[in-house]
Amino acid sequence: MEKFMIIIIIFSLVFFLYNKIRFWRTPESLLKQIYQSQANLSLGFLMLAFGINLFVNPRSAFDTIIGIIFAVVGAFNIFHGYRAIQHYLPQLEKN
């Protein structure tokens, strides 16, 4: 389980950096919003996986509390990143 979470953390970090670089290099504002939403979604997966990893393999009570906080904030980012992507993609298809 721990190795699986580490793989998810690494892939999420790579996708986050990839989308952030695409966000910085894109001049069009609608595409910028889509890339930002995808970066938020990747960041959410990163934080959720990191929180679950801390929650499942705690070393102390502090790790458990931080793991729960990271998991909640990560789930919040995933939810809002997904909602933003669903909002912006139909606008891109209209153009």
Side-chain angles (χ1 to χ4, degrees):
M1 180 76 170
E2 183 177 342
K3 291 181 183 180
F4 180 68
M5 287 297 150
I6 291 173
I7 290 170
I8 291 175
I9 290 169
I10 291 170
F11 277 120
S12 298
L13 181 64
V14 168
F15 284 128
F16 172 73
L17 293 174
Y18 175 73
N19 284 315
K20 272 303 196 182
I21 291 170
R22 285 174 66 186
F23 169 76
W24 289 325
R25 291 185 174 199
T26 302
E28 188 180 336
S29 67
L30 182 59
L31 283 176
K32 276 183 143 316
Q33 294 299 323
I34 291 171
Y35 294 146
Q36 179 65 37
S37 301
Q38 290 175 345
N40 284 343
L41 191 66
S42 299
L43 182 64
F45 279 114
L46 173 79
M47 292 179 73
L48 181 66
F50 188 74
I52 290 173
N53 195 24
L54 282 176
F55 184 68
V56 170
N57 302 318
R59 292 173 290 208
S60 65
F62 185 71
D63 281 351
T64 305
I65 293 169
I66 297 299
I68 291 170
I69 291 170
F70 267 72
V72 169
V73 172
F76 184 76
N77 268 350
I78 290 170
F79 176 72
H80 284 288
Y82 178 76
R83 296 271 317 260
I85 289 171
Q86 295 301 317
H87 174 74
Y88 291 123
L89 282 181
Q91 293 178 13
L92 181 67
E93 293 172 0
K94 289 180 184 177
N95 293 336

